[in-house]
Amino acid sequence: MKSIITLPATSQALAFDGEPSAAELDAIEREIPLILAEVDLLDVEIATLDRPATALDERRVRRARNRVLVERRNLTNRAAVQSGGAA
């Protein structure tokens, strides 16, 4: 059986300090509206799990799904504009 030898961290990729970088924090900040829309959709779906869906429940789910789609579109369009590509 071969033994596993640990090597010292010689590169920045191996020396992970456990904290997100500034670029990762910026990416999370840009995605916050989408994350919140997805959380709202999940809340609505959870609320309808234990009972039959009413017309109001169906409308809430539909609105939450549409909001997620809008936020995904907005995020994609912002990314395309920042990268210089066409949306």
Side-chain angles (χ1 to χ4, degrees), residues 1 8 12 32 34 48-49 58 60 62 64 67 74 79 86:
M1 180 177 193
Q12 187 68 349
I32 285 291
L34 175 59
T48 61
L49 285 177
E58 292 172 3
R60 286 180 179 150
R62 188 173 54 249
R67 183 172 168 228
N74 292 342

Side-chain angles (χ1 to χ4, degrees), residues 31-82:
E31 293 176 7
I32 285 291
L34 175 59
I35 293 168
L36 294 176
E38 289 174 339
V39 168
D40 289 343
L41 174 59
L42 186 60
D43 287 343
V44 170
E45 289 175 340
I46 289 171
T48 61
L49 285 177
D50 62 343
R51 65 178 193 276
T54 65
L56 182 60
D57 291 333
E58 292 172 3
R59 200 172 343 160
R60 286 180 179 150
V61 169
R62 188 173 54 249
R63 286 180 182 170
R65 284 183 182 153
N66 287 339
R67 183 172 168 228
V68 168
L69 292 174
V70 165
E71 293 302 335
R72 284 184 185 165
R73 182 195 62 207
N74 292 342
L75 183 63
T76 303
N77 288 342
R78 282 192 302 257
V81 167
Q82 288 176 352

Side-chain angles (χ1 to χ4, degrees), residues 18-35:
E19 296 294 326
S21 67
E24 291 170 333
L25 290 173
D26 290 340
I28 292 169
E29 188 69 30
R30 283 190 302 271
E31 293 176 7
I32 285 291
L34 175 59
I35 293 168

